[in-house]
């Protein structure tokens, strides 16, 4: 076991035992449904390995987390379908939490990006019985691998008048290998600082990373002027796994996925608790 894997395992043990307080304690007046490590891991027993099955599988996962059929909207935008589950807040200010459900031809897409879809679905479950300050849009984007088609279509549909209502977009792409990291090219500076501060408070391993020339769905919203936080859980040998036959369930580190879920949850609660302009 590497030093990073050991730190991840220890961090998950501490999280599960409740030995330190997460940022979600800020919402202590309401009951967040915190998923366990085993509940998150359970979603990897039947990962859809065919691209044509991914959208329906993402829908089924949201339904498993408690979303009714009427709550799941299919946004059909110029040759792409995004799944959106809206959790109404006390205001019309909005936070987007997203991950892409499609995959490349090779491999099963377990890391890239079923880990993201599982995380977004469990975040919806966490907020299911509470009323956040801001309306949260839990989104499964289509055709990311074809050039960010789904996220760009959604970002383009946001008008100039609506843009200021969008407080942040948190993107989750490829957890399951290492500790949570922020991709600096596709993240806003202020949200990157928030992520670093949260990791320090939670005492979990964390790093900034650079993927020059690489893109993710966060880019579509950053280009629109919306604050973004782009989270992954890759390690330096990620090229051996992503977009290859090695992207399969047996290579997913469940502790990494669970740590990513709890980390993004802390970030989401922090953004929800702040003024909409705080991270611009």
């Amino acid at each position: 076991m590497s030093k990073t894997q050991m730190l991840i395992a220890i961090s998950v043990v501490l999280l599960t035992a409740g030995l330190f307080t997460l940022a979600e304690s800020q919402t202590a007046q309401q009951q967040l449904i915190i998923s366990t490590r085993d509940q998150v891991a359970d979603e990897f027993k039947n990962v859809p390995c065919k691209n044509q099955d991914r959208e329906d599988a993402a829908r089924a996962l949201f339904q498993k987390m408690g979303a009714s059929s009427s709550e799941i909207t299919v946004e059909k935008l110029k040759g792409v379908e995004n799944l959106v589950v809206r959790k109404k807040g006390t205001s019309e200010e909005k936070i987007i939490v997203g991950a892409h459900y499609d995959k490349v031809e090779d491999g099963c897409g377990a890391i890239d990006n079923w880990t993201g879809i599982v995380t977004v679905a469990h975040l919806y479950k966490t907020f299911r019985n509470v009323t956040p300050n801001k309306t949260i849009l839990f989104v499964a984007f289509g055709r990311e691998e074809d050039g960010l088609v789904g996220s760009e279509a959604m970002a383009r549909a946001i008008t100039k008048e609506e843009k200021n209502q969008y407080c942040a977009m948190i993107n989750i792409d490829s957890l399951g290998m290492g500790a949570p990291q922020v991709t600096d090219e596709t993240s806003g500076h202020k949200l990157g600082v928030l992520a670093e501060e949260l990791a320090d408070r939670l005492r979990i391993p964390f790093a900034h990373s650079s993927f020059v020339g690489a893109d993710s769905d966060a880019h579509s919203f950053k280009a629109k002027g919306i604050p973004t936080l782009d989270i992954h859980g890759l390690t330096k040998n990620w090229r051996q796994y992503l977009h290859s036959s090695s992207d399969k369930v047996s290579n997913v580190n469940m502790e990494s996925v669970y740590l990513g879920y709890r980390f993004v949850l802390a970030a989401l609660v922090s953004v929800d608790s702040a003024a909409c302009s705080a991270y611009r």
Side-chain angles (χ1 to χ4, degrees):
M1 179 181 290
S2 69
K3 181 179 178 181
T4 298
Q5 289 173 323
M6 185 177 297
L7 287 171
I8 291 171
I10 292 171
S11 297
V12 170
V13 170
L14 292 174
L15 279 167
T16 305
L19 297 181
F20 55 78
T21 303
L22 290 173
E24 56 253 39
S25 64
Q26 297 171 24
T27 317
Q29 70 274 18
Q30 301 188 76
Q31 187 59 51
L32 296 172
I33 306 171
I34 308 295
S35 298
T36 66
R37 182 266 188 206
D38 289 343
Q39 287 171 333
V40 171
D42 190 59
E43 316 306 346
F44 291 87
K45 291 180 179 178
N46 295 293
V47 176
C49 295
K50 295 181 179 180
N51 224 359
Q52 61 265 32
D53 299 331
R54 305 277 280 198
E55 182 181 342
D56 287 343
R59 179 198 298 273
L61 184 54
F62 277 120
Q63 291 174 329
K64 180 181 177 181
M65 296 300 109
S68 66
S69 297
S70 60
E71 291 174 314
I72 303 174
T73 302
V74 179
E75 293 190 354
K76 298 183 179 181
L77 300 163
K78 295 185 178 180
V80 66
E81 294 188 353
N82 298 327
L83 297 181
V84 181
V85 183
R86 178 184 295 263
K87 179 61 185 177
K88 185 73 173 67
T90 58
S91 75
E92 289 303 315
E93 295 175 338
K94 297 175 180 66
I95 303 170
I96 299 170
V97 184
H100 71 89
Y101 63 80
D102 62 313
K103 59 178 284 293
V104 297
E105 183 176 350
D106 291 340
C108 197
I111 298 171
D112 182 14
N113 187 32
W114 198 245
T115 57
I117 291 297
V118 167
T119 302
V120 171
H122 275 270
L123 288 168
Y124 165 75
K125 172 192 169 186
T126 300
F127 276 84
R128 192 181 68 210
N129 292 337
V130 306
T131 303
N133 297 311
K134 300 171 178 62
T135 295
I136 304 176
L137 306 179
F138 299 92
V139 185
F141 294 110
R143 296 187 62 193
E144 187 268 356
E145 300 290 2
D146 293 333
L148 316 182
V149 177
S151 58
E152 285 194 354
M154 184 175 185
R156 282 196 303 269
I158 299 171
T159 66
K160 291 182 179 180
E161 293 74 22
E162 295 172 330
K163 190 179 74 172
N164 286 339
Q165 290 185 340
Y166 286 80
C167 309
M169 188 274 175
I170 302 175
N171 187 59
I172 307 158
D173 195 339
S174 303
L175 301 172
M177 294 183 69
Q181 296 185 47
V182 167
T183 306
D184 289 331
E185 288 87 358
T186 44
S187 297
H189 174 71
K190 290 183 178 180
L191 282 173
V193 170
L194 169 67
E196 188 170 353
E197 291 173 347
L198 285 174
D200 182 64
R201 189 190 315 171
L202 304 181
R203 301 179 184 177
I204 63 174
F206 170 83
H208 292 274
S209 64
S210 178
F211 287 93
V212 177
D215 255 340
S216 76
D217 286 318
H219 175 83
S220 302
F221 296 92
K222 187 177 183 182
K224 188 79 174 184
I226 295 169
T228 52
L229 183 62
D230 200 10
I231 301 293
H232 70 84
L234 300 176
T235 56
K236 61 183 179 181
N237 60 339
W238 63 271
R239 290 181 180 84
Q240 298 177 27
Y241 298 91
L242 267 63
H243 294 192
S244 77
S245 59
S246 295
D247 189 352
K248 54 188 177 181
V249 174
S250 60
N251 286 325
V252 176
N253 181 318
M254 295 304 169
E255 281 70 28
S256 168
V257 180
Y258 187 65
L259 195 60
Y261 154 71
R262 293 294 290 260
F263 179 70
V264 176
L265 173 56
L268 179 56
V269 171
S270 295
V271 174
D272 184 56
S273 301
C276 192
S277 60
Y279 300 103
R280 295 193 185 282

